[in-house]
Amino acid sequence: MRFKDLLLQAKAGDEKAFGELLIMYRPLLLKESIVDGVFDEDLYQELCVVFLKCVRKFRI
């Protein structure tokens, strides 16, 4: 599926599309969740929430 289609479906509330986007961006979210060489699970969860909010607000 094309990224744009996936994004549009996620914006429309499709949970499967949200899941696929999270899988796509998981490496970046994990990388940004490491603070001083230690993985911060709370930060990872917050980044996931922010990511999903951004997907909803993103204008195409």
Side-chain angles (χ1 to χ4, degrees):
M1 177 177 298
R2 288 185 26 207
F3 179 78
K4 183 177 178 181
D5 297 330
L6 194 59
L7 184 60
L8 288 170
Q9 288 179 0
K11 285 179 63 63
D14 184 338
E15 289 183 25
K16 184 178 178 189
F18 269 128
E20 289 185 43
L21 286 173
L22 270 175
I23 290 169
M24 288 174 70
Y25 282 89
R26 187 171 191 259
L28 177 63
L29 296 170
L30 287 170
K31 177 184 166 220
E32 296 300 323
S33 299
I34 297 172
V35 179
D36 296 327
V38 178
F39 176 70
D40 186 331
E41 188 172 340
D42 292 334
L43 177 56
Y44 175 72
Q45 290 176 353
E46 282 297 316
L47 288 173
C48 288
V49 169
V50 169
F51 175 76
L52 295 177
K53 285 181 182 179
C54 289
V55 167
R56 287 187 192 121
K57 291 182 178 183
F58 190 81
R59 286 189 270 157
I60 295 179

